[in-house]
Amino acid sequence: MAAEYPQAEVVDASSEMCGGSNEDRRPDGSIPAEVDCTLVTARVTTSDAVGQTVQVWAPALIRPQDLAPGTTVVLVRYLQTADEPEAWAWYDYARTVPLGVLAVLYGVVAVAGMRGLRALLGLGFASVVIAVFVLPALLQGSDPLLVGLTGSSAIMFVVLYLAHGLSRRTTTALLGTFAGLGATAVLGVVAARSARISGISVEENYRLAQLTGNLDGTALRGLFLASVVLAGLGVLNDVTITQASAVWELRAADPDAGVGDLFSRGMRIGRDHIASTVYTIAFAYAGAALPVLLLVQVYRLPVMQMIGSGEFAEEIARTLVGSIGLVLAIPLTTIIAALVVATEPERRGRHTQPGSGGHGHSHAGH
């Protein structure tokens, strides 16, 4: 059945008794015959049904006090067919305004001069690549890993040069990023096969498999690999540009330093960076999986059984593969930077350094 998603303004919300459903399931597994539900009366404000007043049931966790008159919500309108009448249902709150305000605030904070503006333009380009290339290609059945690598490489190529300018330093960071992406992809393939990650670990993935006809899990396993590559882009970009910059600064501080010295000194900086960024990845995934962790506590699953479950195995593999790829990118970027910067001519001041065997000025008659 075709559907539309018009916005509506809440007129009234009241508490009514209705039949229990799966979302009302008690801890003992039973479903109550009747539960307290929230009936919402709303006036449609968009689509060709503007002005129409409809009634829908809100989800179980939303109470009347959460829906003050004037609250903007999004409804689902199932269009009339030859066999079915028109029907309306709750979809979600309308969040365009608060999210828009946050986006503007982020733009104001992030734009620190032209470099910040260029970084935001790069972020916009990345969004376009994902929306116009990555997602359609995945839905069309293209190889997910290849799509992920191609999209990620295109994003990094434009983003790095746009934010940091055309230079050997930026090119070095780009090469280090590509090396990290390649390592992440290879490790992801090995992890997915050895850990038998199917990609069908949560309801959303299973629904996607149904809608796309890929229930054999092969495509969703590839989707897991593509997600691993994309998830590591931000941190990978951070460490590679930082390592490249560190090596260039070390060379500027000691123009006589060779490749070995630059690499060893750069890695002393890199090891500190490794520790902090690995924590960043691990805690980011832990935060995203917090509801699942709480569910584990409620069900009191054994630790090993929890770790071995499909959903946790997928997150653990994603975290470890991303972290290993990140760690490998640091020495790879550092050695590339050391080799490149060592080929640059020494940059000294207008006068030669004392004790260099020369004189800063020529003297006539000597």
Side-chain angles (χ1 to χ4, degrees):
M1 182 182 290
E4 296 178 349
Y5 297 88
Q7 291 191 4
E9 187 178 277
V10 173
V11 176
D12 182 55
S14 59
S15 182
E16 307 283 344
M17 297 304 293
C18 66
S21 62
N22 189 58
E23 63 180 4
D24 303 308
R25 190 179 296 276
R26 298 185 178 117
D28 62 3
S30 63
I31 298 177
E34 284 190 326
V35 293
D36 192 14
C37 298
T38 300
L39 182 63
V40 182
T41 303
R43 184 180 297 109
V44 180
T45 57
T46 61
S47 82
D48 59 359
V50 170
Q52 182 177 342
T53 300
V54 298
Q55 287 189 321
V56 297
W57 294 107
L61 296 179
I62 296 179
R63 310 314 303 163
Q65 57 267 29
D66 301 323
L67 293 166
T71 302
T72 305
V73 298
V74 180
L75 305 177
V76 183
R77 179 192 184 191
Y78 296 102
L79 302 180
Q80 182 177 352
T81 65
D83 302 319
E84 298 287 341
E86 180 182 88
W88 293 80
W90 170 278
Y91 181 72
D92 208 341
Y93 286 103
R95 300 183 176 93
T96 305
V97 173
L99 292 180
V101 171
L102 284 175
V104 171
L105 181 61
Y106 173 76
V108 171
V109 173
V111 176
M114 284 303 298
R115 179 166 294 189
L117 179 61
R118 292 198 301 267
L120 284 181
L121 292 175
L123 187 60
F125 172 79
S127 302
V128 170
V129 170
I130 292 173
V132 176
F133 169 68
V134 175
L135 297 181
L138 292 174
L139 289 176
Q140 290 169 8
S142 302
D143 182 85
L145 182 57
L146 183 60
V147 170
L149 284 173
T150 303
S152 299
S153 299
I155 289 171
M156 284 295 98
F157 186 87
V158 172
V159 165
L160 278 171
Y161 283 123
L162 188 61
H164 303 284
L166 291 169
S167 67
R168 301 176 77 182
R169 182 185 309 198
T170 306
T171 301
T172 297
L174 182 64
L175 292 175
T177 301
F178 286 162
L181 287 175
T184 301
V186 172
L187 288 168
V189 171
V190 173
R193 290 180 179 175
S194 60
R196 301 183 183 276
I197 294 176
S198 64
I200 306 179
S201 57
V202 294
E203 182 181 351
E204 288 77 11
N205 290 11
Y206 187 77
R207 189 183 307 164
L208 179 63
Q210 285 183 311
L211 293 174
T212 57
N214 292 316
L215 284 172
D216 61 354
T218 303
L220 289 181
R221 185 180 296 113
L223 195 60
F224 160 76
L225 297 174
S227 71
V228 169
V229 172
L230 283 171
L233 279 186
V235 182
L236 199 57
N237 167 41
D238 175 41
V239 298
T240 55
I241 197 68
T242 300
Q243 281 305 109
S245 296
V247 173
W248 252 263
E249 293 302 321
L250 289 170
R251 171 71 169 185
D254 183 4
D256 296 320
V259 173
D261 285 339
L262 291 172
F263 177 76
S264 61
R265 294 174 188 174
M267 282 307 299
R268 282 198 290 272
I269 299 172
R271 279 189 285 271
D272 291 334
H273 209 175
I274 286 172
S276 61
T277 49
V278 167
Y279 288 145
T280 300
I281 292 178
F283 290 139
Y285 285 131
L290 195 57
V292 180
L293 294 173
L294 291 172
L295 214 75
V296 169
Q297 289 295 311
V298 171
Y299 287 125
R300 300 188 180 277
L301 291 175
V303 175
M304 295 311 298
Q305 181 180 339
M306 174 191 72
I307 293 176
S309 64
E311 187 170 356
F312 272 91
E314 187 172 319
E315 291 301 325
I316 291 171
R318 184 180 286 113
T319 302
L320 294 178
V321 168
S323 298
I324 295 172
L326 173 68
V327 170
L328 290 177
I330 289 178
L332 291 172
T333 304
T334 306
I335 188 61
I336 294 172
L339 290 169
V340 171
V341 77
T343 64
E344 291 186 343
E346 294 183 10
R347 296 181 180 179
R348 299 187 182 276
R350 194 174 59 173
H351 301 286
T352 56
Q353 298 295 320
S356 61
H359 297 280
H361 300 277
S362 60
H363 300 277
H366 286 201

